[in-house]
Amino acid sequence: FVSILVIACPCALGLATPTAIIVGVGKGAKNGILIKDAATLEHLYKVDSIIVDKTGTITVGKPSVVNIESEIKEDELISILSSLENKSEHPIAKAITSYASLKRLETMPVSNFEIIKGMGLKGVIDNKIYYAGNITLVKQNNLSFDVSKIEKYTKEGKTPIVLMTEKEVLGFVMVSDELKEGAKESIEKLHRMGIKVIMATGDDKRTADYIASLVGIDQVVAEVLPADKLSIVKKLQADKHIVAMVGDGVNDAPALAQSNVGIAMGTGTDVAIESAGITLLHGDIRKVVKAVSLSKITMTGIKQNLFWAFIYNIIGIPLASGLLYPIFGLLLNPIFAGLAMAMSSVSVVSNSLRI
């Protein structure tokens, strides 16, 4: 009876999951992967679809101005644009303000500034309303614009920012961003894990398609609003997919919160990081692959731990209860029962440390 009590002590069972989780979370932190809770790590193990943003996730997020076409003086166009973009935190805004600083152009005071979600922004300069944004914003304002002017640029992966008033388009600038180091290899590794990668971006479709073709993205959803990203996540979840969302901007926050696992770039906005369950330091996309691998290794470790925790009891309890006594005359001494119980805990902890 004493042998049964000793060997049935559920220490190993109690250690099986938390030891593996603690080691997994610690290992993640050493590799720049900050995991908020155990549930996030467990959900990531089951993920079969990952949605990624473009700017700051697949690309570096430090675009620069590469082309300008204007119906007014070029310096005037850049000056108005930089005055508007000066109030925005978007990486593209920084590209325009940096270009204006390089040319030593003045920024003008802006009143009634407003962010138009997923499309651009507006503000009043010298009692005149100006808009700066993407082609969707041009269409929404019902302005005539020859899209063919920007097609040759967007096919090269460049992003257009159009400046307009309520009556006409004044011109546009094209900005270009570099791919993040390791982006292509990361997507390939995710594919090998059986994970589908979808890029959802507010950028122009041709630009998005070009970037996606460079890195091997499975599906592209371009010219989307923040609410659309949220809808994409919900639709995948409705189709029984386990979804991870990778993003870095304010616009990504609702989708990050809705997804089964939200992954924020450490170089992104505070609201994105707060909405996510995992934060990748330095915004390195290669850490997405590491995070998924870590979750799989950790969950495998948990299953192995539970196996060892149960196998000792499955074998030990019948032995301690005298099952072999009528046949072989064997009983389990309480001392050996204690040793077996201790060994089960040691084996579980040791297996966790292997992670």
Side-chain angles (χ1 to χ4, degrees):
F1 179 68
V2 172
S3 292
I4 292 169
L5 284 178
V6 171
I7 208 162
C9 180
C11 286
L13 198 59
L15 290 168
T17 300
T19 51
I21 291 287
I22 288 165
V23 173
V25 169
K27 192 68 178 174
K30 285 182 180 178
N31 283 275
I33 302 163
L34 306 183
I35 301 160
K36 279 187 180 177
D37 51 47
T40 299
L41 202 60
E42 291 178 48
H43 285 140
L44 188 58
Y45 164 73
K46 299 174 185 175
V47 161
D48 58 22
S49 302
I50 291 183
I51 301 169
V52 296
D53 184 35
K54 183 181 80 69
T55 307
T57 304
I58 297 296
T59 60
V60 174
K62 292 182 180 177
S64 56
V65 174
V66 287
N67 300 96
I68 303 168
E69 287 197 24
S70 178
E71 301 296 325
I72 57 176
K73 287 182 180 178
E74 190 177 293
D75 283 358
E76 186 183 349
L77 178 89
I78 297 298
S79 185
I80 295 167
L81 263 178
S82 66
S83 299
L84 291 168
E85 300 285 7
N86 198 39
K87 290 181 172 289
S88 171
E89 291 184 354
H90 198 279
I92 288 175
K94 290 175 184 174
I96 293 168
T97 54
S98 297
Y99 184 78
S101 297
L102 197 66
K103 296 199 75 178
R104 296 182 179 177
L105 297 174
E106 268 186 54
T107 56
M108 295 170 278
V110 178
S111 58
N112 299 328
F113 178 80
E114 183 186 333
I115 299 279
I116 304 167
K117 282 186 181 179
M119 289 186 281
L121 42 84
K122 66 180 280 193
V124 177
I125 300 173
D126 289 335
N127 298 317
K128 195 171 184 179
I129 298 173
Y130 290 96
Y131 296 84
N134 55 23
I135 298 302
T136 309
L137 186 58
V138 178
K139 291 174 184 174
Q140 181 160 305
N141 288 346
N142 296 315
L143 300 175
S144 60
F145 181 67
D146 185 4
V147 180
S148 64
K149 286 183 178 180
I150 64 166
E151 281 182 357
K152 63 179 179 180
Y153 298 119
T154 54
K155 284 177 182 175
E156 297 169 356
K158 297 170 184 174
T159 301
I161 303 297
V162 184
L163 178 67
M164 66 203 95
T165 64
E166 291 179 303
K167 297 178 180 178
E168 61 179 335
V169 171
L170 301 177
F172 61 87
V173 300
M174 303 300 299
V175 297
S176 182
D177 199 0
E178 292 178 21
L179 285 177
K180 277 194 174 176
E181 187 181 345
K184 190 174 189 296
E185 293 80 359
S186 298
I187 302 300
E188 286 172 355
K189 286 177 182 177
L190 290 171
H191 285 157
R192 287 199 291 270
M193 291 177 183
I195 296 172
K196 181 180 179 181
V197 184
I198 302 153
M199 186 165 78
T201 175
D203 216 333
D204 181 88
K205 190 173 190 318
R206 289 180 188 83
T207 304
D209 285 340
Y210 176 79
I211 296 296
S213 68
L214 293 179
V215 296
I217 299 281
D218 297 298
Q219 182 183 341
V220 178
V221 188
E223 298 174 13
V224 298
L225 300 175
D228 296 329
K229 290 184 181 180
L230 183 61
S231 299
I232 294 165
V233 173
K234 286 182 176 178
K235 187 177 183 303
L236 285 167
Q237 289 174 330
D239 292 337
K240 308 299 181 188
H241 291 287
I242 308 298
V243 184
M245 170 73 193
V246 185
D248 71 333
V250 174
N251 290 348
D252 300 321
L256 286 167
Q258 174 63 36
S259 60
N260 299 92
V261 180
I263 303 173
M265 294 296 180
T267 49
T269 59
D270 290 344
V271 68
I273 292 168
E274 187 61 35
S275 303
I278 295 174
T279 301
L280 308 179
L281 296 185
H282 314 301
D284 189 349
I285 191 164
R286 289 171 294 193
K287 287 185 169 63
V288 174
V289 179
K290 283 190 176 185
V292 175
S293 298
L294 180 65
S295 71
K296 291 183 182 295
I297 293 166
T298 303
M299 292 308 295
T300 300
I302 288 171
K303 289 175 182 178
Q304 290 170 346
N305 287 351
L306 290 171
F307 169 80
W308 287 113
F310 277 113
I311 202 72
Y312 276 101
N313 284 358
I314 290 167
I315 296 169
I317 290 174
L319 191 63
S321 64
L323 188 68
L324 298 179
Y325 185 75
I327 306 166
F328 301 106
L330 291 175
L331 283 172
L332 188 67
N333 189 293
I335 294 171
F336 293 107
L339 181 63
M341 188 274 290
M343 283 305 296
S344 69
S345 297
V346 170
S347 65
V348 161
V349 175
S350 300
N351 190 54
S352 295
L353 292 173
R354 287 193 316 116
I355 292 172

